[in-house]
Amino acid sequence: MELPFEVGALYNRQKQIHGVFGGQQQGGISTPKEHPLVIAFTGEAGVSHGYHDFWDDDEVFHYFGEGQVGDMKYVAGNRAIGEHIKDGKTLVVFQMMGKGRPYRYLGRFMCQSSYVQPGTPDREGQLRSAIVFRLRSLEASLGLAASESDQAEIDAAIDDVGATSTRRETEVRTKQRLFRERLIGVEKGCRLTGIEDLRFLRASHIKPWADSTHSERVDGENGLLLAPHADLLFDQGWISFSSSGRLLVSNVLPTDVRSRIGLKLDAPRQRGPFSNRQIGYLEFHRDVVFGARSPKIG
C-alpha cells in the first residue's frame, strides 16, 4: 500500500499518523481498522521499564511486544505483528523521540519470527516473560548518509577490482548500515544544529573506521548524528567534544571559516550526557583526531 511517509522524516503521531490512518493513539502497537496496516512504535517506553529493542549482528531488529504488567500474551497488537503477512497487512515502525515530540519513520518491516524472553521487567519491576519479534527492515537505508571518511572507505572498496573487493564492498556496506541502525537508538539528533530528521544528517564514527576494531565499527555508541557541515569539522578534527559535552574548537580553524560556516560554535548547548562508551571513544577522538589539529586537551 502507498504510504505518505518518507524514511528518516518526523511526523506528529495524532495528526499525521492516526489522523490519516486511525488506530489506537496510545500504546506501542496500533492496528487501524480501515487500513491493512500495523504500526509499531519503538523507543522510550521499553527503556523506562528496563529493556530495549535492539539490532543484532545480522541486522535483525528485536522488537519487544506490548503488555505492561505480567507475562505478555500473543493477542491484540502482538498477534497483529506476528501474523501481519498472513493477514495481508503492511508493518511499519516509528521511533519515539520523547514525550510530546514527533515520531521518526523507520520504514516498512517484515516479521520473520518471535521468541519468549524470560526475566524481563514489567511496569512494576516484576520479572515476567516477554514476547520479542524478529523484524527485518525492507528499506535500503534509514535515510541517513555515511560520514565523509566512512563514505571514502566504501568508495575505496568499490574502486578495487575482483571478487575479493566485491566481498569487501558488501562487508563494508553491511557494517555501515548496522552502525547507522544502532546509532539512531543512541543519538536523537545533531548536537550542534538540533536537526533530528535523518534525511539531513550523517552517521559519524567518533573513533574513525580505520582505527576501530570490528566490534567498534558496528557499535552505535561509537557515533554521533551530525549535519553535513558539522560532520566535516568533526571528521577532520576541527572540532571535538569534552566528556561533559562541551564543544571544543581547534585554535587553528580559520577565523573566516568559523564566521561563515553557519554554525554557532560558541553557543551553549545541551543534548543529554554522553554514555560511558561514548566518553571512551571521545577520548580517542580528542587525543588522535582533534589532537592532530590542536594542542592536547588536559
Side-chain angles (χ1 to χ4, degrees):
M1 63 181 296
E2 292 294 325
L3 295 170
F5 307 124
E6 188 169 347
V7 176
L10 304 173
Y11 299 91
N12 178 277
R13 178 166 178 171
Q14 277 66 43
K15 295 180 180 179
Q16 295 174 291
I17 302 175
H18 299 299
V20 175
F21 293 101
Q24 303 91 324
Q25 298 191 25
Q26 302 293 328
I29 303 172
S30 183
T31 54
K33 293 181 179 180
E34 304 300 325
H35 300 273
L37 190 65
V38 179
I39 309 171
F41 298 93
T42 179
E44 306 292 336
V47 174
S48 66
H49 296 154
Y51 60 88
H52 66 281
D53 306 329
F54 66 93
W55 295 88
D56 68 21
D57 289 341
D58 295 319
E59 286 191 277
V60 173
F61 188 54
H62 293 240
Y63 178 81
F64 283 74
E66 65 180 2
Q68 296 187 1
V69 179
D71 293 341
M72 292 184 184
K73 306 296 183 182
Y74 197 72
V75 297
N78 290 335
R79 183 208 169 276
I81 288 182
E83 306 293 330
H84 80 95
I85 297 177
K86 176 183 175 182
D87 294 340
K89 295 186 177 183
T90 298
L91 171 63
V92 299
V93 177
F94 284 85
Q95 180 186 10
M96 305 173 190
M97 303 297 288
K99 187 175 182 180
R101 306 294 306 285
Y103 288 66
R104 179 187 283 153
Y105 181 55
L106 301 186
R108 302 169 188 245
F109 283 70
M110 177 182 69
C111 180
Q112 295 182 318
S113 62
S114 64
Y115 62 94
V116 174
Q117 177 68 56
T120 304
D122 66 11
R123 184 185 62 194
E124 298 175 354
Q126 299 297 313
L127 298 183
R128 45 79 177 268
S129 292
I131 298 174
V132 187
F133 297 95
R134 295 185 180 93
L135 308 182
R136 175 75 69 177
S137 173
L138 301 180
E139 307 294 344
S141 72
L142 294 172
L144 179 63
S147 68
E148 290 281 329
S149 60
D150 286 359
Q151 187 60 51
E153 183 73 22
I154 294 173
D155 293 341
I158 295 174
D159 290 340
D160 287 340
V161 179
T164 300
S165 65
T166 301
R167 288 194 298 270
R168 174 169 170 73
E169 177 191 348
T170 300
E171 177 185 345
V172 170
R173 287 188 183 279
T174 299
K175 288 181 179 178
Q176 282 290 339
R177 195 165 52 242
L178 179 57
F179 166 66
R180 282 175 265 180
E181 289 163 345
R182 288 174 170 171
L183 173 58
I184 65 168
V186 177
E187 292 281 293
K188 294 293 181 63
C190 176
R191 287 178 178 263
L192 274 74
T193 64
I195 294 172
E196 295 181 331
D197 189 321
L198 295 183
R199 298 172 298 174
F200 305 97
L201 296 175
R202 289 181 176 171
S204 187
H205 276 91
I206 299 173
K207 184 177 182 180
W209 175 280
D211 299 305
S212 295
T213 65
H214 166 75
S215 61
E216 291 173 337
R217 288 174 176 175
V218 296
D219 183 0
E221 293 189 84
N222 182 19
L224 296 174
L225 291 174
L226 296 171
H229 50 339
D231 169 66
L232 184 148
L233 293 177
F234 184 79
D235 201 50
Q236 297 186 12
W238 296 108
I239 63 173
S240 190
F241 291 91
S242 70
S243 297
S244 64
R246 181 170 58 90
L247 180 66
L248 307 175
V249 183
S250 171
N251 54 15
V252 294
L253 178 65
T255 302
D256 184 61
V257 172
R258 182 169 180 152
S259 63
R260 293 174 182 271
I261 201 167
L263 291 170
K264 297 180 180 180
L265 300 179
D266 297 320
R269 52 183 52 83
Q270 181 60 41
R271 293 192 61 82
F274 290 117
S275 70
N276 289 334
R277 289 220 300 272
Q278 281 181 305
I279 289 173
Y281 289 126
L282 282 167
E283 182 177 355
F284 182 96
H285 186 272
R286 289 195 302 272
D287 288 347
V288 178
V289 185
F290 183 71
R293 298 280 187 187
S294 304
K296 184 175 180 179
I297 301 299

